[in-house]
Amino acid sequence: MIWSNMEYVPLRLIRRFLLSGVALDKLGGILPYWRVNAALDDPEAVVKGYAELAAEAWKPLEGLRAVELGCGATNATGYAWTALFGGSWTGVEPYALFDTGRDAALLERVRVHFPQAGPENVRRLRDIALLPEGSADVIVSNSVLEHVRDPLTLFRQCRRVLAPGGFMLHKVDYRDHFFKYPFQFLTFPRAIWENLLDPGDLPRNRLDDHLQALGDAGFAARVLRRETDKRAFRAVEPFLDREFAGRDPDMLATTVASIFCEAVG
């Protein structure tokens, strides 16, 4: 653990204090052990991933009013979504500024496979609270929930926005985003993590935290897919911070999960 921290801690400090989100978009591909948002390079794959999950849940996506949480700096997944499924797409992005140049380039890329793709029925908002009650049939996200500090408040807003019969599909990456160290961040006390090492968007919520918050917000949630890395988790398990020590090790060892949710009551 000492030797791994000698590499991990400096990288985390650099990430927090020297690199902005814009810099990460440009340099993430060469930053050691860093994961780059797939929607920036392959929006079609992200949308097809949603389609696979919907098929597993026996839910159609054609013609629905879709809301995507954390759509990033472009509307690229919206172009692919509406080209594939019709309906409408609204991206909710409270942090990343809209990149018109990159958006135009990705639209042309999507048109290679879907010539009908375009900005029609595609829009973006900065806050889900701006959406009217019952205005969405499906809410989706890809590697977003792990960045949300208050998931219960978000899920309550999703519950308000979903129309009767609506559902959600969330793909969540529970790894520390320095992927060589998927669980290293669970070893630091909250004060050290939040004040020094957290880049500002990794609150360390785990799968069971999200399932609990979904239930509290009025959703019945089902895990469609889940992967674990028990070997990597065992390497840090003796060093877990007391906030995580004693919790279900199988849940803590979760690396990625896909969650299907329906409103109840």
Side-chain angles (χ1 to χ4, degrees):
M1 183 60 63
I2 293 175
W3 295 111
S4 60
N5 275 343
M6 289 179 66
E7 180 176 38
Y8 177 84
V9 170
L11 285 172
R12 267 281 161 228
L13 291 172
I14 290 169
R15 166 63 186 93
R16 170 152 187 167
F17 294 106
L18 297 181
L19 293 177
S20 66
V22 174
L24 276 179
D25 287 346
K26 296 178 179 178
L27 303 176
I30 61 174
L31 187 67
Y33 318 135
W34 183 255
R35 296 187 183 278
V36 177
N37 186 344
L40 294 175
D41 299 313
D42 199 352
E44 303 101 312
V46 173
V47 172
K48 288 179 179 178
Y50 291 143
E52 291 174 3
L53 295 179
E56 289 185 29
W58 294 90
K59 291 290 185 179
L61 297 178
E62 289 74 15
L64 300 186
R65 297 168 297 170
V67 170
E68 182 169 19
L69 306 177
C71 62
T74 77
N75 296 336
T77 52
Y79 304 139
W81 180 287
T82 52
L84 270 172
F85 309 124
S88 65
W89 177 94
T90 299
V92 176
E93 179 49 69
Y95 301 111
L97 296 177
F98 186 53
D99 187 332
T100 55
R102 193 166 204 165
D103 183 78
L106 283 172
L107 174 56
E108 290 308 308
R109 172 183 172 142
V110 170
R111 279 176 169 159
V112 171
H113 301 105
F114 308 107
Q116 72 275 30
E120 300 80 10
N121 300 316
V122 170
R123 64 169 181 162
R124 62 190 288 126
L125 299 171
R126 293 193 63 83
D127 193 339
I128 192 173
L130 297 174
L131 288 169
E133 182 176 345
S135 60
D137 301 310
V138 58
I139 296 175
V140 298
S141 72
N142 180 64
S143 294
V144 169
L145 293 190
E146 67 266 26
H147 301 298
V148 176
R149 293 203 169 274
D150 185 359
L152 178 57
T153 296
L154 173 64
F155 295 149
R156 283 173 173 162
Q157 282 284 3
C158 291
R159 180 73 172 80
R160 179 188 65 82
V161 167
L162 274 178
F167 61 97
M168 302 198 297
L169 297 166
H170 298 292
K171 300 174 70 174
V172 193
D173 190 339
Y174 289 100
R175 296 167 290 192
D176 187 319
H177 287 19
F178 281 118
F179 61 87
K180 182 179 177 181
Y181 303 102
F183 304 113
Q184 197 91 356
F185 61 171
L186 303 181
T187 66
F188 297 95
R190 178 179 292 270
I192 292 176
W193 178 253
E194 292 185 349
N195 293 317
L196 290 176
L197 303 179
D198 181 5
D201 60 359
L202 278 180
R204 304 189 295 182
N205 288 319
R206 316 311 296 155
L207 174 58
D208 48 355
D209 295 319
H210 285 145
L211 295 176
Q212 178 66 51
L214 284 163
D216 291 344
F219 287 99
R222 175 161 55 97
V223 178
L224 297 175
R225 301 178 184 178
R226 184 169 75 97
E227 297 177 15
T228 62
D229 189 339
K230 295 184 179 180
R231 180 179 179 181
F233 179 73
R234 285 196 297 269
V236 303
E237 190 171 12
F239 308 99
L240 290 174
D241 180 63
R242 62 183 180 179
E243 180 177 347
F244 302 100
R247 292 180 57 171
D248 183 349
D250 188 53
M251 280 288 176
L252 292 178
T254 299
T255 52
V256 293
S258 298
I259 308 171
F260 167 72
C261 318
E262 290 183 292
V264 294

